[in-house]
């Protein structure tokens, strides 16, 4: 299970940065997945078999932009998808988890792109 943590000060004009954590419900172990102070995490999408978590994040500085990250659960590694202005789609994963559908917002246009995950 993944969840966001926002401290109480966020509601009262404090630091807007919130991070993503993963809870293993079988062991109770909590792992912090994201660390970047310049971004906040919007939401996550688990691959069907559970080996990947796709995370949509928004960078605040120096210029607002969206990005998608992939977190490999077993290796505990976080990697940014190398696409500019990338967003997750509602149903992003193929059943076998080798392909991820993302939306790219370009200069005056939008397109869908399939990313091969390896």
């Amino acid at each position: 299970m993944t969840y966001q943590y926002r401290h109480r000060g966020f509601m009262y004009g404090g630091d807007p940065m919130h991070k993503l954590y993963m809870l293993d419900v079988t062991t109770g172990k909590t792992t912090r997945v994201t660390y970047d102070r310049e971004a906040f995490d919007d939401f996550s999408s688990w691959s069907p078999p559970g080996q990947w978590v796709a995370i949509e994040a928004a960078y605040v500085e120096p210029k607002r932009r969206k990005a998608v990250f992939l977190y490999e659960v077993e290796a505990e590694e976080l990697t940014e998808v190398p696409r500019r202005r990338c967003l997750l789609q509602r149903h992003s994963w193929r059943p076998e988890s080798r392909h991820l559908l993302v939306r790219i917002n370009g200069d005056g246009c939008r397109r869908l792109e399939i990313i091969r995950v390896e």
Side-chain angles (χ1 to χ4, degrees):
M1 173 172 63
T2 53
Y3 64 93
Q4 292 176 340
Y5 171 76
R6 299 181 196 185
H7 58 78
R8 186 180 174 95
F10 173 75
M11 300 301 290
Y12 304 103
D15 184 358
M17 305 308 160
H18 47 279
K19 300 295 151 226
L20 194 73
Y21 290 82
M22 182 175 63
L23 171 67
D24 184 332
V25 294
T26 58
T27 65
K29 178 185 174 191
T30 300
T31 305
R32 186 171 178 178
V33 175
T34 56
Y35 294 89
D36 196 338
R37 291 273 314 147
E38 304 301 322
F40 61 91
D41 308 311
D42 285 343
F43 63 92
S44 59
S45 173
W46 282 81
S47 65
Q51 73 255 40
W52 297 94
V53 181
I55 303 162
E56 184 176 299
Y59 280 91
V60 179
E61 297 295 336
K63 184 172 109 176
R64 281 196 164 276
R65 73 176 177 93
K66 293 275 190 170
V68 171
F69 291 84
L70 289 174
Y71 181 73
E72 188 176 0
V73 175
E74 194 68 33
E76 296 184 355
E77 291 181 0
L78 185 68
T79 307
E80 185 173 356
V81 172
R83 303 291 187 276
R84 293 178 48 91
R85 294 177 229 145
C86 192
L87 299 110
L88 288 176
Q89 293 301 118
R90 183 179 188 100
H91 303 288
S92 300
W93 289 100
R94 292 272 307 158
E96 82 289 340
S97 298
R98 284 184 286 186
H99 296 93
L100 176 70
L101 181 66
V102 296
R103 186 176 86 201
I104 309 293
N105 287 345
D107 299 319
C109 67
R110 295 179 185 164
R111 65 182 161 80
L112 297 177
E113 187 171 314
I114 297 172
I115 307 292
R116 184 172 180 184
V117 178
E118 296 182 292

